[in-house]
Amino acid sequence: MAFTINVNGADHTVDVDGDMPLLWVLRDELNIKGPKFGCGVSLCGACTVHLDGNAIRACVTPVSAVGDAQVTTIEAIGETEIGAKLQDAWLEEDVIQCGYCQAGQIMSAAALLANTPAPTDGGIDAAMAGNICRCATYQRIRKAIKRAAGLDTADTRG
Amino acid sequence: MPLDNAEQLPAAGLSRRGFLRAGAAAGGGLLVGLNFAATAAAQSAAATEGVLNIYVTVGTDGAITIVNKNPEIGQGIKTMLPMLIAEELDADWDRVTVVQADADGAKYGAQFAGGSFATPMNWMPMRQTGAAARAMLIAAAAQQWGVGAAECSTAPGKVVHAATGQELDYGALAVAAAALTAPDPATLTLKDPADFRIIGTSIPQVDTMRILTGQPIFGIDVEVPGMKYAVYEKCPVFGGTLVSADLDAAKAMPGVIDAFIVRGNNSTEGTLGGNVLEGLMDGVAIVAENWWYANRARSVLNAEWDTRGESASDAEHAAKAAEAFASGPGDVLRDDGDVDGAFEGAAKTIEAEYSYPFLSHAPLEPQNTTVAVHEDGSVEVWSPTQNPEPGRAGVALALGVDPSQITIHMIRNGGGFGRRLNNNFMTEAAVIAQRAGVPVKLVWNRQDDLRHDVYRPAGFHKFGAALDDQGNLVGFKDHFVSFGQDGRPHSSADLAPTTFPVEYVENVRYEQTLLPLNMPTGPMRAPGSNALAFVFQSFLDEVAAESGKDPLQFHLDVLGEPREVVMTPGFMGPQPGFNNARMADVLRIVAERAGWADRASLPQGTGLGIASYYCHLGYFAHVAKVTVDANGGWAVDKIWMVGDVGSQIINPTGAVNQCEGGCLDGLGQMTLGLTFENGQVVDSNFNTYALPRINKMPPVDIHFHITDNPPTGLGEPALPPVLPAVANAIFAASGRRVRSLPMSGASVASA
Ligand code: FES
Ligand code: FES
């Protein structure tokens, strides 16, 4: 069945089964490879994209449910002010190890900062709880979010 | 004359022969060596391209391209190895582009990510590679100016002649330099470390921006023309064979192109070199227009497997271990002094049993590989592998092609942790692509990954210790129940007879009992050590508590006075053995940083634990601070790490990142464990195999103690002491000993 979805500002029409998760439409049909596959069941956050600005797991979102919503992926998040600040902060804090989770981390962080411009440590924990980093770059993710938010990056928890 | 310098290079503090040849023994045909001179053919091309050697190309515009030879798995090697070259080349880092080498052992020598070996193996050769290129640029400038090369020097990106004030950019010299003969590395003077501009500075990974903008740089992102997508359904019980599957039902599913049966060798033996087919198991391949279609069609396969009555389980392993402990003695691995006498004459003896579970590597990027079998019979492989050469051997055998017909592109790994040292996914992808007749990208799902790993083996230990009336350790024993066959432990399931405290206690006995196992095991980050550090360093803390000494003092007393360091056989040839003075130093320093001496002033329910471990040539000591509340709930407040990995931290930001990763990896292992029942892994995703999330990452204080020793690797040695430091802190905070992993994340009460 044909679906037209708007991804990063452009309309795309795909002819796929309506149950197909958005993740596989993006990756295998539209060759938008930024969103990653990690678990397929909403447990790791690697596939996180925005639907009208809200962070969602593309691996459990059927393409038929997207409708007219605007899909934003890591490829275009740098065009938003928050996204660009996060990318700068991620570079500045040298967050990355393998990097596989980081697209999803940044998308979750961007949704967090859009709603909560100055998150607390607890707020960061809650908003980022769905994103696994197997390499454990969490310390730097926390700092990079604070840096992007213009907060003191010192870890005051210990 | 092109220089073949493979036999001429000294290797940092290592025997040259051992350095050049050692890989063949341990790595399944890998040849460790260095051959950086361009071949004769490449040299003639070099005259126009500025190719100074196989690693360094200087463009006429001064842009420098440096080849990274090793697989990038997130350890930062694609940045770190080129930094070594760029330093001695005196390059301007901002003008350096790094390109990834294909797998080509004849050209690059050993190319793998494992054992924290990259630093000790490449520290000197990569620097010499850069120095050789720099010497050629200097020679070209000297010729042009008609002055002696010795009068010339370099500044970042240019050659300078101080006497006349002349300068030439590397770009202006590139073509002339490339026409010159590469120098004899023995004649090269390397930089004084005091002059390093690149080494020792924090440089973000070269692929950072591509990752932050979602560029397709991981194995799973590979797209080749005409490619289709595949899954491979295997028996959940290792070694099971396929009886039947409804291929027609799968083929009738939307998007499915083909479904077929593949016969494997169904061996679970070995991982590295032991099994050249790299574990190809019976299975059903489904090829589709989109990965999701392929994966969905698995649900209608209705595959029936012959599992040969396999029924092993965690409970059965534990029962067999208890039996082995009760019936005693196992095979003797080590028997020093008079152990029985020491225990009989002891003022105090302590006994305790420890255990730990099977673990999965679970890199976040699921296993995958893309393969194209070309019309001329050649095979092209794009794979996120840590260890391409065994993969090549597996593909060659499985497809019946010559290894030289196979090109392996090493694509960035979304995490490795040792998992991708085994290439069974590569073999599967090749077999499926050949049969499908089109290029295929095979992608495992998470269940495939957790149920078809090469696991960190479980283990059981029964320890004993004897103390004299001064609280000194005079006897030590361990009965280790592990897995293996015919007296040979499976991969990563062994206990080295030299394991500490051997040689630091007069009377020591290690025994081993091996249980049969039908699942493959293999190295996982700090293999062996990740489990052994927990049990040995936790038990020693129990003994320390019984000795009446401060645990730090107890450890220092066991280590004793500094001893002469003896050379011991190692992967790369003879290497310095355990240095007790280096270990004592990191222990003292971490205690100092963590406020160990003042720990009595911590609030009720908060405690510090200390532990240390030596592995992969690195010395690490950690202190953990843990708080246990009245209900047994526990949280790690902070970890202090001190490491001695030699004279130089090459890329400090990357080094610290590896230690932070090792910290949470170790913490995660306190509460992680696979469930094994009816001969198979039960876990299928992160709901039960619950990797730690951001709230579990404590603040970490990391300090490198710089010593006058050759630099060594950091991917692994920071991990092992985390577990016992935390377990010992839980004891200090609550009086409860953690002797069996996994423990509950919610409460120490169930520990
Ligand atoms: S792949 Fe979607 S949450 Fe893991
Ligand atoms: S950086 Fe590797 S999973 Fe996060």
Side-chain angles (χ1 to χ4, degrees):
Chain A
M1 175 175 178
F3 297 90
T4 298
I5 57 173
N6 186 284
V7 185
N8 299 331
D11 282 345
H12 299 268
T13 301
V14 292
D15 187 7
V16 296
D17 192 306
D19 288 343
M20 184 178 289
L22 176 60
L23 177 64
W24 300 104
V25 173
L26 294 171
R27 289 187 57 84
D28 288 359
E29 300 293 323
L30 302 179
N31 201 19
I32 294 171
K33 296 287 203 292
K36 294 289 187 268
F37 169 54
C39 69
V41 290
S42 197
L43 286 167
C44 78
C47 64
T48 306
V49 300
H50 289 185
L51 215 54
D52 284 340
N54 297 314
I56 57 129
R57 311 297 181 215
C59 68
V60 292
T61 305
V63 63
S64 57
V66 173
D68 295 336
Q70 304 269 329
V71 179
T72 308
T73 71
I74 185 72
E75 282 89 344
I77 197 68
E79 290 162 23
T80 68
E81 193 188 331
I82 287 172
K85 276 188 184 163
L86 283 166
Q87 285 168 334
D88 286 348
W90 244 250
L91 178 64
E92 202 65 40
E93 296 292 343
D94 191 28
V95 173
I96 284 167
Q97 285 188 38
C98 84
Y100 194 76
C101 71
Q102 301 295 348
Q105 304 281 1
I106 289 175
M107 296 309 287
S108 289
L112 165 67
L113 292 189
N115 295 321
T116 312
T120 59
D121 278 314
I124 292 173
D125 283 351
M128 303 303 289
N131 290 80
I132 289 174
C133 176
R134 172 66 180 91
C135 303
T137 61
Y138 296 126
Q139 183 104 325
R140 293 177 182 213
I141 289 171
R142 181 184 302 283
K143 284 174 88 174
I145 292 173
K146 290 180 180 176
R147 178 184 283 271
L151 302 171
D152 181 358
T153 59
D155 193 330
T156 52
R157 296 172 303 147
Chain B
M1 182 194 77
L3 172 73
D4 179 2
N5 56 340
E7 292 298 322
Q8 298 166 18
L9 281 173
L14 305 161
S15 117
R16 194 193 68 215
R17 250 204 100 63
F19 178 79
L20 292 170
R21 299 285 168 234
L30 301 176
L31 186 64
V32 182
L34 174 63
N35 173 20
F36 63 61
T39 62
Q43 281 219 332
S44 55
T48 54
E49 291 173 23
V51 178
L52 301 191
N53 57 49
I54 62 168
Y55 289 96
V56 179
T57 301
V58 179
T60 50
D61 59 355
I64 292 174
T65 305
I66 297 180
V67 171
N68 166 48
K69 74 184 185 77
N70 277 4
E72 175 64 66
I73 64 171
Q75 83 283 44
I77 206 72
K78 193 177 172 186
T79 308
M80 190 272 260
L81 292 182
M83 284 172 70
L84 301 178
I85 294 174
E87 178 70 67
E88 296 291 348
L89 173 61
D90 218 1
D92 176 353
W93 183 257
D94 291 338
R95 297 174 85 181
V96 170
T97 301
V98 177
V99 298
Q100 176 63 50
D102 286 341
D104 187 346
K107 193 170 175 184
Y108 297 108
Q111 296 174 282
F112 68 96
S116 297
F117 283 122
T119 298
M121 286 172 76
N122 293 292
W123 168 245
M124 290 300 281
M126 289 295 112
R127 290 175 64 200
Q128 286 167 320
T129 296
R134 174 176 173 269
M136 292 162 77
L137 291 160
I138 288 178
Q143 263 179 17
Q144 199 160 322
W145 292 327
V147 302
E151 295 169 35
C152 301
S153 181
T154 57
K158 58 192 175 188
V159 181
V160 295
H161 185 241
T164 58
Q166 295 180 90
E167 291 186 359
L168 275 172
D169 189 87
Y170 282 175
L173 296 163
V175 172
L180 300 174
T181 301
D184 178 351
T187 67
L188 300 172
T189 312
L190 297 180
K191 278 190 181 177
D192 180 334
D195 298 329
F196 286 161
R197 294 181 302 102
I198 295 173
I199 293 173
T201 61
S202 284
I203 296 184
Q205 289 195 43
V206 292
D207 283 331
T208 295
M209 283 319 292
R210 283 194 261 179
I211 290 165
L212 297 182
T213 54
Q215 301 307 300
I217 65 169
F218 293 93
I220 202 170
D221 300 334
V222 167
E223 285 278 324
V224 303
M227 183 186 92
K228 302 299 179 193
Y229 302 82
V231 295
Y232 190 53
E233 172 90 0
K234 287 173 285 196
C235 182
V237 176
F238 287 95
T241 50
L242 182 68
V243 177
S244 65
D246 192 346
L247 299 177
D248 290 336
K251 285 184 209 171
M253 290 290 283
V256 172
I257 299 164
D258 200 3
F260 49 85
I261 289 167
V262 173
R263 291 290 171 190
N265 67 347
N266 301 311
S267 167
T268 58
E269 255 178 60
T271 55
L272 298 174
N275 169 16
V276 77
L277 266 186
E278 296 259 285
L280 184 66
M281 311 227 305
D282 272 16
V284 183
I286 302 173
V287 180
E289 295 290 351
N290 173 308
W291 184 81
W292 182 78
Y293 286 134
N295 193 55
R296 183 173 66 169
R298 294 166 75 158
S299 62
V300 299
L301 273 177
N302 223 350
E304 198 187 315
W305 306 96
D306 176 2
T307 60
R308 300 169 182 166
E310 275 294 350
S311 63
S313 67
D314 294 323
E316 184 188 314
H317 293 149
K320 283 186 178 163
E323 247 168 65
F325 290 154
S327 62
D331 301 333
V332 175
L333 297 173
R334 180 96 187 194
D335 199 359
D336 289 358
D338 174 11
V339 173
D340 294 335
F343 276 76
E344 276 158 28
K348 206 176 221 181
T349 60
I350 302 110
E351 272 201 1
E353 290 179 19
Y354 280 77
S355 66
Y356 42 83
F358 289 95
L359 292 177
S360 178
H361 301 80
L364 199 59
E365 178 192 27
Q367 312 313 326
N368 67 85
T369 289
T370 301
V371 175
V373 179
H374 296 301
E375 270 173 22
D376 64 359
S378 65
V379 179
E380 203 168 357
V381 177
W382 294 262
S383 187
T385 172
Q386 288 182 245
N387 192 19
E389 292 307 331
R392 185 195 306 276
V395 171
L397 193 67
L399 300 194
V401 301
D402 191 83
S404 65
Q405 289 178 281
I406 302 167
T407 301
I408 301 178
H409 306 293
M410 299 191 292
I411 313 296
R412 189 182 184 92
N413 293 222
F417 313 104
R419 171 60 185 86
R420 302 184 226 256
L421 291 166
N422 175 292
N423 297 283
N424 49 2
F425 46 88
M426 197 193 291
T427 313
E428 290 173 3
V431 169
I432 295 168
Q434 187 185 51
R435 173 79 180 268
V438 287
V440 158
K441 173 158 70 182
L442 169 74
V443 180
W444 291 17
N445 65 22
R446 183 54 56 189
Q447 177 170 306
D448 297 328
D449 183 57
L450 288 175
R451 293 190 179 171
H452 294 280
D453 198 350
V454 281
Y455 301 94
R456 193 292 295 271
F460 306 84
H461 296 256
K462 182 176 183 178
F463 287 109
L467 293 170
D468 68 12
D469 54 7
Q470 307 293 305
N472 296 312
L473 184 62
V474 292
F476 191 91
K477 54 189 181 184
D478 178 22
H479 183 175
F480 177 38
V481 176
S482 182
F483 300 92
Q485 210 175 347
D486 306 329
R488 225 165 37 94
H490 288 317
S491 177
S492 287
D494 60 316
L495 174 67
T498 52
T499 301
F500 186 85
V502 159
E503 288 179 11
Y504 288 81
V505 184
E506 213 180 314
N507 310 293
V508 185
R509 186 162 62 227
Y510 291 159
E511 296 164 21
Q512 171 184 272
T513 302
L514 297 175
L515 308 179
L517 184 70
N518 82 319
M519 58 205 273
T521 62
M524 186 171 97
R525 194 179 199 174
S529 310
N530 54 36
L532 298 176
F534 164 64
V535 296
F536 278 81
Q537 289 284 308
S538 297
F539 180 62
L540 282 172
D541 195 70
E542 292 202 49
V543 180
E546 292 296 326
S547 76
K549 296 183 187 180
D550 172 327
L552 169 64
Q553 192 56 49
F554 180 82
H555 283 291
L556 293 174
D557 287 350
V558 172
L559 286 167
E561 292 301 311
R563 298 187 187 182
E564 195 190 334
V565 176
V566 291
M567 296 302 281
T568 59
F571 176 69
M572 296 173 293
Q575 64 190 26
F578 179 67
N579 182 327
N580 65 335
R582 292 176 75 181
M583 188 55 96
D585 282 347
V586 292
L587 272 163
R588 283 192 204 95
I589 296 167
V590 79
E592 174 81 38
R593 292 179 75 87
W596 180 259
D598 302 327
R599 67 194 190 287
S601 65
L602 291 170
Q604 176 80 17
T606 298
L608 298 187
I610 192 164
S612 60
Y613 211 73
Y614 166 71
C615 61
H616 304 275
L617 304 173
Y619 296 79
F620 272 85
H622 299 353
V623 169
K625 182 178 169 191
V626 170
T627 297
V628 180
D629 67 26
N631 301 320
W634 63 283
V636 178
D637 302 320
K638 186 162 180 172
I639 306 259
W640 290 262
M641 298 184 158
V642 173
D644 171 1
V645 287
S647 62
Q648 181 71 58
I649 300 299
I650 297 166
N651 187 357
T653 178
V656 170
N657 217 345
Q658 286 303 303
C659 292
E660 289 173 359
C663 177
L664 193 70
D665 213 346
L667 268 181
Q669 289 174 15
M670 301 292 294
T671 55
L672 274 176
L674 290 164
T675 302
F676 186 62
E677 268 168 23
N678 297 317
Q680 72 166 82
V681 169
V682 174
D683 305 79
S684 63
N685 217 311
F686 298 132
N687 50 345
T688 59
Y689 201 69
L691 293 171
R693 293 169 189 270
I694 191 168
N695 64 329
K696 290 293 181 193
M697 182 80 200
V700 198
D701 176 88
I702 295 160
H703 173 73
F704 297 113
H705 177 50
I706 301 300
T707 59
D708 190 20
N709 291 285
T712 55
L714 263 173
E716 290 158 287
L719 186 157
V722 172
L723 294 97
V726 170
N728 298 342
I730 288 173
F731 173 74
S734 69
R736 283 202 174 259
R737 280 288 169 197
V738 179
R739 297 195 184 92
S740 179
L741 297 182
M743 64 179 292
S744 159
S747 171
V748 298
S750 52

